[in-house]
Amino acid sequence: MKIMPSKASQIYLLSIAFLILLSSCGKEDTEPSVAGYADGVFINCEGSFNANNGSISWYNADSGKIVNNLFETVNGRPAGDVIQSFALAGDHGVIVANNSGKIEIVDLVNFESVSSITGFSYPRFFVYAGNGKGYLTNGNIKGEVYKIDLTGGTVTDTIEVGMGPEQMIIEGNHLFVANSGGWGFDNSVSVIDIRTDSVVESIIVGDVPIAMVTDAEKNIWVLCRGQVVYNESWTEIAHETDSKLVRIDPAAMAVDKEVIIGQKGDHFNPSWLAVSPDGLSLLFGEAEGTYAMGTDEDIQPSAPLIKDGIFSAAGVHPGSGKILAVEIKDYSLPGLLHIYDGNMLISSMETGIAPGGVVFSGVSRP
Amino acid sequence: MKIFVFTYCLLFPSLLFGSVFINEPDSMFLYSIPEVVIEKSRNSFFSEDKKTSTPDSLVRAVFSGSNLGELISTFTPAYVNTSGSTGASSSVFLRGTNSYQTTVNWNGFLLNSVTLGTMDFSSVPSAAVQNISVVHGASGSLAGSGNFGGTVLLDNTANWNNRLQASLQSELGTYDNKHYSFSAKIGNPSLQYQVFLFSHQAENNFSYTDIFKNGDPVETIKNNSLDNKGVMQNLFIRLPGGNKLETGFWYQEKEKELPAVMGSYLPANASQLDSSLRVYAKWTKTGHRSSFALNTAMFREYMRYTDKNLATDNHYSVVSEIITGRMMGDINYRYWILENLSFDGGMTFSTLSADITSYGQKVAENQSAAVTAVKLSLPGLIANAALRKEFHSSTRVPLLFSLGGRKNLPVEGMDLKASYSRQFRVPSFNDKYWQPGGNPYLLPESGYTADIGIVQDIRAGDAGELTIEVNAYSSGINNMIQWVPSENGTWWRPDNKKQVSVNGIESSVLSGGIIGRCSFTLGGSYNYSRSVIKRSYDGNTGIEGNQLSYIPRHTGSANASISYKKAFTGFTGNFTGNRFTGEDNNRRHMMPSFFVLNSHAGYRIGLGEVGGHLQLRVMNLLNSRYQVVRAYPMPGRSFHVSFSVEFNQQ
């Protein structure tokens, strides 16, 4: 006997199918991986200035899916205003909200907010030193590094450095701080002994150092963007200096190599720096494209690896070796995450508004 | 050369009829046009085919201590966008367009900022002028640049029967609000002098729930005080031979502290001072069937923005100053060719200047326009047509035209209105000259506005009247200007980014009457706007079809009042629907709708020529928690007690 569904059950089944269809149409997927959010790629998205819509996007390399607005989804409030950076701190993550004057500490597994530390005037980047301690750069002209006790949620020390401090790297017992100049000018890297929390050296590198990475031999590479001064009407560049990649020997606390990548007159001023997982190649991005350069090379690459797209940041996935680059479309619209295999674009997907950094976390698989 | 030929052709009829006017013989006076019609400004004279909203006298009296933005939200469905409490910068969005697409005119002279193109409605005290009207979807060919949404007309007028009228008003309110004003009107049938002085101080230190902070703490807003004061004077002189002179002077200083946004732990020490000096002079000569008006004005604006790292610092970390000027001239000749057919010919001239550090140089521009228009006024039918050609020193503007009419329908009291107008908006000085990024070669925004509506008046003698008006409108805007990040990502630049389509329906109901010993008024308005991006010129197809950010689809207002003998009470309310904060229309960042209800009650005092009132006004009666601009809290319930003494001798 053939069982014919009644009209009511047909409507019921259709309704269920419709609901399933609707649920699959959702723009945002909040499905975490098995290990929570600890294993994935975090993208800090600045958001629109003064709109408190800065966010964290989380990309799952296994599923190829992205979760946008992760912090707000979990915690019921936005991450803050102008999310400058995101950093890993053991089992926790640290979100630096520049225009909120705060850092937000989250549990990496469930991304719940653990605490907020406030009172910063212009926070930029955080680096974790272990044992619940870390350092935060702060200041747009006069610069300082705050020592942060994440467990107690307090600032335990303030160390004066150069102007406009940005990214930091800890190598051995030393913290290297890139002094970008902020709204002024600087060309130095401050070295802080983290046992005494005092500045022990100031290394002159190149004009406007903004980013740093560590290569395979534990040397520190500093991207110096070069100074650009416009004429009064901002119609043309009145003064410009070379942009460089400068290598610091951390043991000697001295520069041992530099490669000029942009020369006066060519307006080549890269904005970000990344390193390959094996530490043998550097990637840097400029308006003309994304360039790759071996750490053993002495001259700037002649052509970009990726010509299309102006990226605000990028990184090389430690597991797959793929390049993950983020692009700001507009400061009021979602940005894009592009995934490249070499110079071949594989996929693109929407992020939060104005993505500005890529951080790899946990066991990352292809 | 072409420009001069064109201008001459456009103005030729004016010159021709002007010569007739000068030698107007008595034998020609077969008919006379009423003086009040003859003298009307172009914007008013040709607005009968447009929906025009005006506040009733009771609403004006109740909100006499408020600013223009607060008042407009009570009698129109306009979206009044404000970034905080009293005195915070406020702009008006009409008919689903942006705030810089609505103009504001004071006695016929443009008030919009030279640098931004917008108008800060919080800086205008609502009691300063006698007539306030909002012309929805004003004609670009008559009102000039930037009227996709409409125009707000602020006019001082003389009552020639007045001898002496004076009023002193004070209002004290929650959050340390103190508002004082004095106005006087003195004169005779030949000369009228008016002065209005005001002072408004407020701490604005209200509490709010900071939903952007962990735990939703209740906080008190800091660095939010207001100090606004000014004086406006007008002099009207009636001379023999149909001559009239009029001058006006308006000086104002507004200093407003700027609080931090919600969710911020940064100290807030920023402050903004805006001062303005505006003067104008008008000469009008009227005949039996013609008028000639020569108007000129000079406006100077100064803005200083300062910020400190710490409140205790004795030096500023940021000081930014802006000085702008606008000189304007307007000549208009109006002539009734026939009793029911009039002709207007006119020219306008403006010189705009700006001295701003961020422009890198002092900037000045000349703008002029030739306007010609005809109006037919038959029994049951009014129709008009206008042409305008603008000449700008740096922007090419297309020829503008408009057509409009109003026709009685067979149903008693019912009229049909319709209009079509080409529109444009010249890029603002910031769009053109801000460094870095400004682009002097930007195209003007251009497009059209079409409007059709029905208005029904029902009058029941002394018992009351009811007016219902429904309008459907449509606008297309090409080359909409938007600031976007530059190629190297280090600054922003304006670009002609989008084609936008705005379609909507606007309706209003207004009734008033007398029941027994009570008189009442009841009003309501509603606007539905679908303002969508039709095309993104940069190929960002993902935003096409989306609603423009910060443009609500639904807005409305309502007001009701009832008077019994000398007592009166009532309410006003306005509703603003959901607004997207980005063009991606992400619902997560959508601003929720809100409804704000205000109420008032008072008692009028009258002893012969001396009168006054005592009034309590409760703003945000329901204590709604809302934000108009994301992350800027609005105050909760507040109480305002006002007292006035008036002297009136006709």
Side-chain angles (χ1 to χ4, degrees), chain B residues 125-187:
Chain B
S126 70
V129 294
Q130 287 83 36
N131 294 340
I132 296 174
S133 57
V134 178
V135 181
H136 303 243
S139 153
S141 58
L142 291 161
S145 167
N147 288 286
F148 286 96
T151 186
V152 179
L153 306 177
L154 311 174
D155 292 309
N156 296 90
T157 54
N159 173 5
W160 297 105
N161 298 320
N162 172 63
R163 287 183 63 195
L164 174 60
Q165 190 180 336
S167 168
L168 183 65
Q169 179 171 343
S170 70
E171 182 177 279
L172 301 175
T174 320
Y175 316 129
D176 215 4
N177 256 279
K178 289 172 280 195
H179 185 278
Y180 307 102
S181 66
F182 169 77
S183 71
K185 294 170 187 165
I186 307 162

Side-chain angles (χ1 to χ4, degrees), chain A residues 130-147:
Chain A
N131 298 320
K133 303 283 195 296
Y135 294 87
L136 176 74
T137 47
N138 185 80
N140 46 37
I141 294 183
K142 179 175 168 286
E144 56 261 317
V145 171
Y146 293 120
K147 187 173 186 183

